[in-house]
Amino acid sequence: MIDNISWLAIYPEIVLLVMACVIALVDLGVSSARRTGTYVLTMLSLAVVAVLQAMYASSGSTFYGWNNMVVSDAMGNWLKCFATVSLMVTLVYGRPYAADRGMLRGGELFTLTMLALLGICVLISANNFLVIYLGLELLTLSSYALVALRRDHTTATEAAMKYFVLGAMASGFLLYGLSMVYGATGSLDIGQVFKAINAGQIRHQVLVFGVVFIVAGLAFKFGAVPFHMWIPDVYQGAPTVVTLIIASAPKLAAFGMAMRLLVDGLLPLAIDWQQMLAVLAIASLLVGNVAGVLQTNLKRMLAYSTISHMGFLFLGLLSGVVNGTVDANAAEAAYSSAMFYIVTYVLTALPAFGLIVLLAREGFESEEIADLAGLNQRSPLYAGVMAVCMFSLAGIPPLVGFYAKLSVLQALLASGQGLHVALAVFAVLMSLIGAFYYLRVVKVMYFDAPLTAGTVSAPFDARVVLTVNGALVLILGLVPGGLMALCADAIVRALAT
């Protein structure tokens, strides 16, 4: 028998699922080419879900439901709330773009986006291996369909095929790793897995094999080297509004999945997965920043930027355990810095990709760095927001990206280990290389002659959201304490359960 707590634990997900089905049915009667009615209903539904998730998170309560298969805690609810808001922002940026390219002939964009969000929420709330895989598949299958949504576009179809094949392989890695851990521990419950491993009665070799495959699956979802091959091709080939969807909310889901698996379940094996994350971080920082310098396509450049930022995120995740010993203060600082990093990365990526969406027009994709030439003369607002985003991604103060990098480096150096100090130095050097391609974009916008004399226009709601989005990148850089405290409190409550 399922008690009331079980229903309460997934109430926002139930609302999301019901509204996704309602929107799919209501859209059958919508004749508008721009799907205005469907869009409004989708935004209202997402707003309700975001408010519910914020209320859950603000309460600070942690409770389990469905025989401990799902967990509702502050960390998960804040991640779900941020993911919901990011997809709302994405739809505001992307609706004109989608309408101009025939992607709104049906309501699939809105329905699939809501189903992808449902997968994200299930994934973040999972406290059981099967629920993790259920959420992951719901997210990835929706993402495959979104990438292929522009059915008459060969490049998008090719990107969807690549994404599907490589994503299936990564899902297989993760499932194989989870099955090995299940075989060794005899449980699918993450809490029970932790207890079984911590008891020390299980063969270490079997668990390590499982961890290797789990980390490989996680690395693919983050887009870390050497499991990054899908990111540049999919980011470039997908319709830009879909690129924005893939580049934002799913990163929050990947962080939530990593916390559930590595910290909640496999923390006694931290000395093993820390070494793997260190290798992934070094490779991602190196390949992401060096390859980014060589790019002329803006979406592809931002794809390699994503790879390098995931390397930085891994530095935060690996610094929570010192010499195989769990220290509460070190774990809190490390995982809260990682959460702060991923939230601020998504906040910065939204206007960066959003500007590419807004600059595009019917028959023209503003994807090349050269397409931004003289943007300051055509639209000082757009150029200013993009400059703020580039400076933040480069880690230049006083923008929020600087404090995100600083918090990760502080957590890394606090351990006092020689390897962690070396990793911090390497990360700073790679950031200096990465600054080149961010500053190149700023140079093109402000110092190159414009390729066209036309002005830039966008709907009023998109301009307002873009302005607020860019302002938050600056404001949270000037006063980062509130968001840092929120992340720290969420992590403390998550670690206490």
Side-chain angles (χ1 to χ4, degrees):
M1 182 176 178
I2 304 301
D3 56 19
N4 290 333
I5 294 295
S6 293
W7 292 107
L8 186 64
I10 62 168
Y11 186 61
E13 285 78 9
I14 293 173
V15 173
L16 185 58
L17 175 60
V18 170
M19 291 312 301
C21 296
V22 169
I23 287 169
L25 293 173
V26 169
D27 185 72
L28 296 175
V30 176
S31 57
S32 169
R34 302 187 76 85
R35 287 296 191 275
T36 303
T38 308
Y39 168 74
V40 171
L41 184 56
T42 301
M43 295 299 285
L44 289 174
S45 302
L46 292 177
V48 170
V49 171
V51 170
L52 284 173
Q53 291 161 342
M55 290 171 59
Y56 274 50
S58 300
S59 71
S61 302
T62 299
F63 47 90
Y64 295 83
W66 301 89
N67 294 321
N68 282 337
M69 288 197 294
V70 296
V71 57
S72 174
D73 60 5
M75 182 196 75
N77 285 312
W78 279 125
L79 288 174
K80 290 187 287 185
C81 179
F82 294 145
T84 304
V85 172
S86 75
L87 288 180
M88 292 176 66
V89 172
T90 297
L91 292 177
V92 172
Y93 291 151
R95 188 169 72 106
Y97 175 97
D100 290 342
R101 284 150 185 81
M103 296 171 63
L104 296 184
R105 287 176 291 193
E108 296 93 344
L109 175 65
F110 303 111
T111 304
L112 287 171
T113 299
M114 293 189 73
L115 291 176
L117 177 60
L118 179 60
I120 289 170
C121 294
V122 171
L123 189 55
I124 292 173
S125 299
N127 193 48
N128 183 284
F129 288 165
L130 289 180
V131 179
I132 283 180
Y133 196 71
L134 178 67
L136 181 63
E137 287 304 290
L138 181 54
L139 168 60
T140 52
L141 290 174
S142 302
S143 300
Y144 302 151
L146 282 167
V147 174
L149 194 57
R150 195 174 173 187
R151 293 180 286 272
D152 57 350
H153 197 256
T154 306
T155 307
T157 305
E158 179 187 349
M161 288 297 295
K162 291 178 180 177
Y163 193 16
F164 175 75
V165 172
L166 295 173
M169 182 178 67
S171 296
F173 281 162
L174 182 65
L175 188 60
Y176 188 60
L178 294 177
S179 67
M180 293 188 73
V181 174
Y182 166 65
T185 61
S187 178
L188 295 169
D189 184 280
I190 290 178
Q192 294 300 318
V193 168
F194 176 88
K195 293 178 181 178
I197 297 173
N198 207 35
Q201 302 298 317
I202 303 172
R203 289 184 61 189
H204 186 71
Q205 293 87 342
V206 177
L207 292 172
V208 170
F209 274 116
V211 169
V212 168
F213 283 101
I214 288 173
V215 171
L218 288 172
F220 180 90
K221 300 306 175 186
F222 277 111
V225 177
F227 305 97
H228 69 293
M229 64 289 291
W230 65 277
I231 290 238
D233 290 341
V234 173
Y235 275 34
Q236 183 180 7
T240 307
V241 61
V242 178
T243 302
L244 180 51
I245 292 173
I246 296 172
S248 55
K251 302 302 181 190
L252 298 169
F255 173 77
M257 180 169 60
M259 287 294 295
R260 300 298 186 206
L261 288 174
L262 299 182
V263 178
D264 292 353
L266 302 175
L267 192 60
L269 300 174
I271 197 168
D272 297 304
W273 55 255
Q274 277 180 319
Q275 299 174 46
M276 303 175 202
L277 292 187
V279 173
L280 293 171
I282 292 170
S284 299
L285 287 166
L286 179 62
V287 173
N289 286 306
V290 173
V293 172
L294 306 175
Q295 306 306 311
T296 58
N297 183 281
L298 187 56
K299 286 166 67 176
R300 204 169 181 89
M301 186 206 84
L302 289 174
Y304 282 105
S305 166
T306 298
I307 293 169
S308 69
H309 281 281
M310 295 307 102
F312 236 104
L313 176 70
F314 283 168
L315 295 181
L317 287 174
L318 67 86
S319 58
V321 178
V322 182
N323 294 323
T325 303
V326 179
D327 178 80
N329 293 329
E332 175 192 336
Y335 303 137
S336 63
S337 71
M339 182 176 173
F340 180 75
Y341 195 94
I342 197 63
V343 170
T344 55
Y345 168 76
V346 170
L347 175 68
T348 311
L350 283 170
F353 282 102
L355 271 166
I356 302 175
V357 174
L358 296 176
L359 289 172
R361 53 188 182 274
E362 191 170 357
F364 175 73
E365 301 287 340
S366 183
E367 293 184 0
E368 300 296 322
I369 295 176
D371 294 333
L372 299 181
L375 181 61
N376 182 56
Q377 299 177 36
R378 295 187 289 147
S379 175
L381 171 64
Y382 282 15
V385 171
M386 182 61 97
V388 166
C389 293
M390 293 298 105
F391 288 140
S392 181
L393 290 171
I396 296 175
L399 301 170
V400 71
F402 167 76
Y403 289 99
K405 283 182 165 62
L406 180 63
S407 63
V408 168
L409 293 175
Q410 286 176 330
L412 199 60
L413 293 172
S415 68
Q417 296 186 67
L419 174 61
H420 288 185
V421 173
L423 287 173
V425 172
F426 179 77
V428 171
L429 293 176
M430 290 300 102
S431 296
L432 291 176
I433 295 174
F436 170 81
Y437 56 82
Y438 296 123
L439 297 179
R440 180 177 58 184
V441 174
V442 177
K443 175 259 181 188
V444 168
M445 291 190 301
Y446 282 88
F447 298 105
D448 286 9
L451 300 177
T452 175
T455 57
V456 178
S457 62
F460 175 75
D461 58 344
R463 292 200 305 272
V464 171
V465 172
L466 181 69
T467 303
V468 173
N469 201 167
L472 282 174
V473 175
L474 175 60
I475 293 170
L476 288 175
L478 295 172
V479 283
L483 183 56
M484 285 182 168
L486 182 149
C487 293
D489 179 71
I491 292 296
V492 169
R493 293 179 184 277
L495 294 177
T497 57

